[in-house]
Amino acid sequence: EVQLVESGGGLIQPGGSLRLSCVASGFTFSSYEMNWVRQAPGKGLEWVSYISDSGSTVYYADSVKGRFTISRDNAKHSLYLQMNTLRAEDTAVYYCAREDHPRYSFYDFWGLGTLVTVSS
Amino acid sequence: DIQMTQSPSSLSASLGDRVTIACRASQSSSTLLNWYQQKPGKAPKVLIYGASNLHSGVPSRFTGAGSGTDFTLTISSLQPEDFATYYCQHSFARTFGQGTKVEIK
């Protein structure tokens, strides 16, 4: 059974840093591209970042570029999101999502999410 | 950047109704369009990929259509479990639409 379990969320002051983790199981993690997607309270979905299966290619939304860093450790079946210089508008549930299909790049499995609250 | 605009933002419908949600891309996007369903407190689930391909396990009452800039998601006969928020997503840009909430009339 495919599972994605996020952790690392919590309450953090503006300007602070946080590292999210996502542990994968039930599939060959090193064969799949992965993404982080977030959802602010009561708002819609926002794609945050993408990483290729090898980790050699990464992309970011403009809203987090230069502040967030995505990475992965295939040996540990883990995906990470290092978040620096956090702002109030980064408050959201952060989901990791597995990307499937070489052309249509849809997300077929999602974690339950971890809540990040940026507030003083 | 490619922007995705959904309409309407919300709608009220009754059980058995036919419901159509629209999604427009700011640039021509071939069939690079996915649809997701999200229920409160849950992660999204993919319904349709490549504009019209039904994902495994998704009921056949869901259909997707369109290409270029205009896409639609249709639920042929609304069931109780379909009351949720629906999002379109551009496959390449990964941008989501703002969502359409389907509520009970």
Side-chain angles (χ1 to χ4, degrees):
Chain A
E1 178 193 7
V2 171
Q3 283 197 319
L4 297 169
V5 180
E6 302 95 337
S7 62
L11 176 63
I12 187 76
Q13 291 190 338
S17 297
L18 214 53
R19 188 197 197 203
L20 305 184
S21 300
C22 171
V23 177
S25 61
F27 66 101
T28 305
F29 181 68
S30 58
S31 296
Y32 286 85
E33 299 151 294
M34 299 294 295
N35 292 262
W36 287 98
V37 177
R38 69 184 181 183
Q39 186 168 37
K43 302 298 184 182
L45 301 172
E46 180 186 15
W47 170 77
V48 173
S49 185
Y50 156 94
I51 188 167
S52 63
D53 52 3
S54 67
S56 61
T57 301
V58 298
Y59 301 123
Y60 300 96
D62 288 344
S63 59
V64 306
K65 201 173 294 183
R67 299 187 300 122
F68 289 12
T69 302
I70 190 171
S71 62
R72 65 190 296 161
D73 185 335
N74 285 341
K76 294 183 178 179
H77 305 103
S78 294
L79 174 71
Y80 305 103
L81 186 68
Q82 177 67 42
M83 304 186 296
N84 298 331
T85 320
L86 282 161
R87 306 167 179 166
E89 53 266 35
D90 296 319
T91 295
V93 173
Y94 285 74
Y95 296 101
C96 65
R98 188 180 85 166
E99 184 169 311
D100 198 4
H101 205 283
R103 173 171 170 79
Y104 298 122
S105 303
F106 58 86
Y107 306 155
D108 62 345
F109 285 96
W110 300 61
L112 296 179
T114 186
L115 176 62
V116 173
T117 303
V118 184
S119 175
S120 55
Chain B
D1 290 357
I2 298 175
Q3 308 298 323
M4 310 301 291
T5 304
Q6 288 181 233
S7 60
S9 296
S10 65
L11 64 89
S12 296
S14 301
L15 293 177
D17 282 355
R18 181 183 181 89
V19 168
T20 297
I21 299 167
C23 177
R24 174 165 287 178
S26 60
Q27 300 177 29
S28 183
S29 303
S30 182
T31 57
L32 298 175
L33 194 285
N34 307 319
W35 288 98
Y36 298 84
Q37 175 194 68
Q38 187 182 33
K39 297 181 180 179
K42 301 291 187 182
K45 293 183 178 180
V46 62
L47 299 174
I48 302 283
Y49 65 92
S52 62
N53 300 287
L54 200 65
H55 190 247
S56 175
V58 175
S60 58
R61 63 181 180 273
F62 291 93
T63 57
S67 65
T69 59
D70 293 301
F71 303 87
T72 57
L73 173 70
T74 298
I75 309 171
S76 60
S77 177
L78 205 58
Q79 299 301 302
E81 59 269 31
D82 300 336
F83 292 96
T85 301
Y86 294 84
Y87 295 91
C88 62
Q89 181 202 26
H90 190 282
S91 302
F92 181 73
R94 297 178 170 81
T95 314
F96 288 93
Q98 81 277 20
T100 297
K101 187 174 184 179
V102 176
E103 299 175 301
I104 301 174
K105 183 183 286 184

